[in-house]
Amino acid sequence: MNFSKWIGAALGWSFGGPIGAIIGLALGGIVDSMGNGSETHQDTQQRYRQRPVTQPGDFEVSLLILASIVIKADGKQDQRELDYVRTHFANMYGKERANHAFRLFKEISKQKNISTRQVCMQIRQMMQHPSRLQLIHFLFGVAKADGVVTESEVSVIQTMAGYLGISSYDFQSIKAMFYESADNAYKILEIDKSATNDDIKKAYRKMAKKYHPDRVIHLGEEHQKGAEEKFRQVQKAYEQLQKERGFI
């Protein structure tokens, strides 16, 4: 599948609004390498602008744009962070699709003054909540790819989470999955240390439901696999508290 067919095959609502403008500029940066007769950005936008349901391609593009902002949050682009993006896409989509995605990512990363608020507000309006949670989880993975999540990166991701309509509890839950501390299990389950054993069981059932991979089934099997990591973290947190407190 050539690049122009790939970019047009799965994109829906992300070809409109501020995200569409960003993608248009990115495609302009690589249009010379497209073969004769390739579909233009304008053609593809016209064909897909009426599709309101989130497609896998919409999620992909949202990841690329937000990841490009996070990577530049600390004033530099670390190669390990770039490698994380590429590897993550390769694991999800396979080598060919990942190469197309990273090609687009590099062009997006060259753009300056991308409006985080405008991009996030478009995503919030069109993308379901479980998928937005998955975006935040991926962004923390990008930030930690160089071994440490800096305060500037946390600040940018937290700002994005606010624009995306992610609650502070959900943000702190996902953040805790990337840190080691004594109370992380409680944070992941969105409870405090004063919680009773029954509270912990109730919180586990709630979080397991919220982070279940089937919640992103509409995005395809590759994104269900990505969601499984959050689900495993919830299970791990619950099992840790079971062991510490000695309840079944």
PDB file of all heavy atoms in Angstrom, residues 35-53:
ATOM      1  N   GLY A  35       3.814   9.285  -5.997  1.00  0.00           N
ATOM      2  CA  GLY A  35       3.806   8.991  -7.420  1.00  0.00           C
ATOM      3  C   GLY A  35       2.737   9.755  -8.162  1.00  0.00           C
ATOM      4  O   GLY A  35       1.813  10.306  -7.572  1.00  0.00           O
ATOM      5  N   ASN A  36       2.823   9.811  -9.475  1.00  0.00           N
ATOM      6  CA  ASN A  36       1.806  10.458 -10.290  1.00  0.00           C
ATOM      7  C   ASN A  36       0.475   9.769 -10.106  1.00  0.00           C
ATOM      8  O   ASN A  36       0.389   8.556 -10.032  1.00  0.00           O
ATOM      9  CB  ASN A  36       2.201  10.405 -11.773  1.00  0.00           C
ATOM     10  CG  ASN A  36       3.419  11.267 -12.052  1.00  0.00           C
ATOM     11  OD1 ASN A  36       3.663  12.240 -11.361  1.00  0.00           O
ATOM     12  ND2 ASN A  36       4.169  10.884 -13.074  1.00  0.00           N
ATOM     13  N   GLY A  37      -0.561  10.573 -10.034  1.00  0.00           N
ATOM     14  CA  GLY A  37      -1.896  10.012  -9.898  1.00  0.00           C
ATOM     15  C   GLY A  37      -2.277   9.737  -8.467  1.00  0.00           C
ATOM     16  O   GLY A  37      -3.341   9.202  -8.203  1.00  0.00           O
ATOM     17  N   SER A  38      -1.407  10.083  -7.516  1.00  0.00           N
ATOM     18  CA  SER A  38      -1.736   9.859  -6.118  1.00  0.00           C
ATOM     19  C   SER A  38      -2.867  10.778  -5.701  1.00  0.00           C
ATOM     20  O   SER A  38      -2.993  11.906  -6.172  1.00  0.00           O
ATOM     21  CB  SER A  38      -0.518  10.140  -5.235  1.00  0.00           C
ATOM     22  OG  SER A  38       0.498   9.209  -5.506  1.00  0.00           O
ATOM     23  N   GLU A  39      -3.658  10.301  -4.783  1.00  0.00           N
ATOM     24  CA  GLU A  39      -4.771  11.100  -4.291  1.00  0.00           C
ATOM     25  C   GLU A  39      -4.235  12.272  -3.491  1.00  0.00           C
ATOM     26  O   GLU A  39      -3.350  12.129  -2.668  1.00  0.00           O
ATOM     27  CB  GLU A  39      -5.659  10.228  -3.394  1.00  0.00           C
ATOM     28  CG  GLU A  39      -6.890  10.933  -2.882  1.00  0.00           C
ATOM     29  CD  GLU A  39      -7.717  10.015  -2.011  1.00  0.00           C
ATOM     30  OE1 GLU A  39      -7.230   9.600  -0.945  1.00  0.00           O
ATOM     31  OE2 GLU A  39      -8.838   9.704  -2.417  1.00  0.00           O
ATOM     32  N   THR A  40      -4.741  13.465  -3.732  1.00  0.00           N
ATOM     33  CA  THR A  40      -4.302  14.644  -3.001  1.00  0.00           C
ATOM     34  C   THR A  40      -4.987  14.716  -1.659  1.00  0.00           C
ATOM     35  O   THR A  40      -5.996  14.080  -1.411  1.00  0.00           O
ATOM     36  CB  THR A  40      -4.629  15.928  -3.782  1.00  0.00           C
ATOM     37  OG1 THR A  40      -6.059  16.078  -3.830  1.00  0.00           O
ATOM     38  CG2 THR A  40      -4.073  15.878  -5.187  1.00  0.00           C
ATOM     39  N   HIS A  41      -4.423  15.553  -0.787  1.00  0.00           N
ATOM     40  CA  HIS A  41      -5.036  15.768   0.534  1.00  0.00           C
ATOM     41  C   HIS A  41      -6.451  16.323   0.377  1.00  0.00           C
ATOM     42  O   HIS A  41      -7.368  15.908   1.069  1.00  0.00           O
ATOM     43  CB  HIS A  41      -4.179  16.753   1.334  1.00  0.00           C
ATOM     44  CG  HIS A  41      -4.873  17.315   2.537  1.00  0.00           C
ATOM     45  ND1 HIS A  41      -5.277  16.517   3.586  1.00  0.00           N
ATOM     46  CD2 HIS A  41      -5.239  18.580   2.840  1.00  0.00           C
ATOM     47  CE1 HIS A  41      -5.850  17.276   4.505  1.00  0.00           C
ATOM     48  NE2 HIS A  41      -5.842  18.522   4.077  1.00  0.00           N
ATOM     49  N   GLN A  42      -6.640  17.257  -0.570  1.00  0.00           N
ATOM     50  CA  GLN A  42      -7.955  17.845  -0.767  1.00  0.00           C
ATOM     51  C   GLN A  42      -8.977  16.802  -1.209  1.00  0.00           C
ATOM     52  O   GLN A  42     -10.115  16.802  -0.751  1.00  0.00           O
ATOM     53  CB  GLN A  42      -7.883  18.986  -1.796  1.00  0.00           C
ATOM     54  CG  GLN A  42      -7.137  20.232  -1.298  1.00  0.00           C
ATOM     55  CD  GLN A  42      -5.630  20.068  -1.363  1.00  0.00           C
ATOM     56  OE1 GLN A  42      -5.114  19.088  -1.925  1.00  0.00           O
ATOM     57  NE2 GLN A  42      -4.915  21.013  -0.773  1.00  0.00           N
ATOM     58  N   ASP A  43      -8.561  15.892  -2.085  1.00  0.00           N
ATOM     59  CA  ASP A  43      -9.469  14.841  -2.547  1.00  0.00           C
ATOM     60  C   ASP A  43      -9.889  13.944  -1.390  1.00  0.00           C
ATOM     61  O   ASP A  43     -11.058  13.619  -1.224  1.00  0.00           O
ATOM     62  CB  ASP A  43      -8.786  13.985  -3.630  1.00  0.00           C
ATOM     63  CG  ASP A  43      -8.570  14.749  -4.927  1.00  0.00           C
ATOM     64  OD1 ASP A  43      -9.291  15.742  -5.143  1.00  0.00           O
ATOM     65  OD2 ASP A  43      -7.689  14.349  -5.697  1.00  0.00           O
ATOM     66  N   THR A  44      -8.906  13.538  -0.596  1.00  0.00           N
ATOM     67  CA  THR A  44      -9.201  12.642   0.510  1.00  0.00           C
ATOM     68  C   THR A  44     -10.051  13.337   1.555  1.00  0.00           C
ATOM     69  O   THR A  44     -10.979  12.751   2.114  1.00  0.00           O
ATOM     70  CB  THR A  44      -7.884  12.155   1.150  1.00  0.00           C
ATOM     71  OG1 THR A  44      -7.030  11.664   0.127  1.00  0.00           O
ATOM     72  CG2 THR A  44      -8.154  11.052   2.165  1.00  0.00           C
ATOM     73  N   GLN A  45      -9.756  14.613   1.823  1.00  0.00           N
ATOM     74  CA  GLN A  45     -10.540  15.364   2.795  1.00  0.00           C
ATOM     75  C   GLN A  45     -11.994  15.437   2.358  1.00  0.00           C
ATOM     76  O   GLN A  45     -12.912  15.269   3.165  1.00  0.00           O
ATOM     77  CB  GLN A  45      -9.963  16.773   2.947  1.00  0.00           C
ATOM     78  CG  GLN A  45     -10.706  17.621   3.976  1.00  0.00           C
ATOM     79  CD  GLN A  45     -10.076  18.984   4.120  1.00  0.00           C
ATOM     80  OE1 GLN A  45      -9.322  19.418   3.251  1.00  0.00           O
ATOM     81  NE2 GLN A  45     -10.374  19.657   5.199  1.00  0.00           N
ATOM     82  N   GLN A  46     -12.230  15.674   1.092  1.00  0.00           N
ATOM     83  CA  GLN A  46     -13.591  15.771   0.574  1.00  0.00           C
ATOM     84  C   GLN A  46     -14.332  14.445   0.734  1.00  0.00           C
ATOM     85  O   GLN A  46     -15.509  14.413   1.079  1.00  0.00           O
ATOM     86  CB  GLN A  46     -13.568  16.174  -0.907  1.00  0.00           C
ATOM     87  CG  GLN A  46     -14.948  16.307  -1.536  1.00  0.00           C
ATOM     88  CD  GLN A  46     -15.748  17.432  -0.907  1.00  0.00           C
ATOM     89  OE1 GLN A  46     -15.187  18.471  -0.568  1.00  0.00           O
ATOM     90  NE2 GLN A  46     -17.048  17.241  -0.748  1.00  0.00           N
ATOM     91  N   ARG A  47     -13.636  13.327   0.518  1.00  0.00           N
ATOM     92  CA  ARG A  47     -14.296  12.023   0.586  1.00  0.00           C
ATOM     93  C   ARG A  47     -14.621  11.614   2.021  1.00  0.00           C
ATOM     94  O   ARG A  47     -15.602  10.929   2.280  1.00  0.00           O
ATOM     95  CB  ARG A  47     -13.402  10.943  -0.043  1.00  0.00           C
ATOM     96  CG  ARG A  47     -13.287  11.054  -1.544  1.00  0.00           C
ATOM     97  CD  ARG A  47     -12.825   9.751  -2.170  1.00  0.00           C
ATOM     98  NE  ARG A  47     -11.491   9.360  -1.762  1.00  0.00           N
ATOM     99  CZ  ARG A  47     -11.229   8.302  -1.015  1.00  0.00           C
ATOM    100  NH1 ARG A  47     -12.200   7.557  -0.538  1.00  0.00           N
ATOM    101  NH2 ARG A  47      -9.983   7.984  -0.718  1.00  0.00           N
ATOM    102  N   TYR A  48     -13.787  12.064   2.998  1.00  0.00           N
ATOM    103  CA  TYR A  48     -13.937  11.531   4.339  1.00  0.00           C
ATOM    104  C   TYR A  48     -14.447  12.535   5.371  1.00  0.00           C
ATOM    105  O   TYR A  48     -14.706  12.155   6.513  1.00  0.00           O
ATOM    106  CB  TYR A  48     -12.599  10.965   4.821  1.00  0.00           C
ATOM    107  CG  TYR A  48     -12.224   9.714   4.079  1.00  0.00           C
ATOM    108  CD1 TYR A  48     -11.365   9.755   2.985  1.00  0.00           C
ATOM    109  CD2 TYR A  48     -12.772   8.488   4.450  1.00  0.00           C
ATOM    110  CE1 TYR A  48     -11.046   8.594   2.299  1.00  0.00           C
ATOM    111  CE2 TYR A  48     -12.440   7.324   3.752  1.00  0.00           C
ATOM    112  CZ  TYR A  48     -11.580   7.394   2.694  1.00  0.00           C
ATOM    113  OH  TYR A  48     -11.257   6.255   2.004  1.00  0.00           O
ATOM    114  N   ARG A  49     -14.641  13.776   4.983  1.00  0.00           N
ATOM    115  CA  ARG A  49     -14.988  14.781   5.975  1.00  0.00           C
ATOM    116  C   ARG A  49     -16.365  14.545   6.593  1.00  0.00           C
ATOM    117  O   ARG A  49     -16.656  15.061   7.666  1.00  0.00           O
ATOM    118  CB  ARG A  49     -14.937  16.183   5.369  1.00  0.00           C
ATOM    119  CG  ARG A  49     -15.895  16.387   4.230  1.00  0.00           C
ATOM    120  CD  ARG A  49     -16.065  17.868   3.841  1.00  0.00           C
ATOM    121  NE  ARG A  49     -14.854  18.626   3.910  1.00  0.00           N
ATOM    122  CZ  ARG A  49     -14.462  19.481   2.972  1.00  0.00           C
ATOM    123  NH1 ARG A  49     -15.183  19.620   1.862  1.00  0.00           N
ATOM    124  NH2 ARG A  49     -13.370  20.180   3.126  1.00  0.00           N
ATOM    125  N   GLN A  50     -17.222  13.755   5.970  1.00  0.00           N
ATOM    126  CA  GLN A  50     -18.555  13.525   6.489  1.00  0.00           C
ATOM    127  C   GLN A  50     -18.638  12.313   7.412  1.00  0.00           C
ATOM    128  O   GLN A  50     -19.707  11.974   7.882  1.00  0.00           O
ATOM    129  CB  GLN A  50     -19.549  13.347   5.320  1.00  0.00           C
ATOM    130  CG  GLN A  50     -19.642  14.553   4.392  1.00  0.00           C
ATOM    131  CD  GLN A  50     -20.105  15.811   5.112  1.00  0.00           C
ATOM    132  OE1 GLN A  50     -20.947  15.736   6.003  1.00  0.00           O
ATOM    133  NE2 GLN A  50     -19.558  16.942   4.732  1.00  0.00           N
ATOM    134  N   ARG A  51     -17.517  11.635   7.660  1.00  0.00           N
ATOM    135  CA  ARG A  51     -17.542  10.420   8.480  1.00  0.00           C
ATOM    136  C   ARG A  51     -17.267  10.776   9.940  1.00  0.00           C
ATOM    137  O   ARG A  51     -16.147  11.073  10.321  1.00  0.00           O
ATOM    138  CB  ARG A  51     -16.489   9.438   7.967  1.00  0.00           C
ATOM    139  CG  ARG A  51     -16.788   8.895   6.581  1.00  0.00           C
ATOM    140  CD  ARG A  51     -15.591   8.212   5.964  1.00  0.00           C
ATOM    141  NE  ARG A  51     -15.088   7.129   6.799  1.00  0.00           N
ATOM    142  CZ  ARG A  51     -13.965   6.471   6.521  1.00  0.00           C
ATOM    143  NH1 ARG A  51     -13.241   6.806   5.477  1.00  0.00           N
ATOM    144  NH2 ARG A  51     -13.560   5.502   7.306  1.00  0.00           N
ATOM    145  N   PRO A  52     -18.298  10.806  10.819  1.00  0.00           N
ATOM    146  CA  PRO A  52     -18.125  11.275  12.185  1.00  0.00           C
ATOM    147  C   PRO A  52     -17.571  10.247  13.154  1.00  0.00           C
ATOM    148  O   PRO A  52     -17.116  10.590  14.227  1.00  0.00           O
ATOM    149  CB  PRO A  52     -19.553  11.668  12.571  1.00  0.00           C
ATOM    150  CG  PRO A  52     -20.412  10.701  11.821  1.00  0.00           C
ATOM    151  CD  PRO A  52     -19.700  10.477  10.504  1.00  0.00           C
ATOM    152  N   VAL A  53     -17.651   8.971  12.831  1.00  0.00           N
ATOM    153  CA  VAL A  53     -17.217   7.936  13.759  1.00  0.00           C
ATOM    154  C   VAL A  53     -15.695   7.839  13.762  1.00  0.00           C
ATOM    155  O   VAL A  53     -15.059   7.874  12.721  1.00  0.00           O
ATOM    156  CB  VAL A  53     -17.827   6.571  13.370  1.00  0.00           C
ATOM    157  CG1 VAL A  53     -17.333   5.480  14.305  1.00  0.00           C
ATOM    158  CG2 VAL A  53     -19.345   6.652  13.390  1.00  0.00           C
TER     159      VAL A  53
END
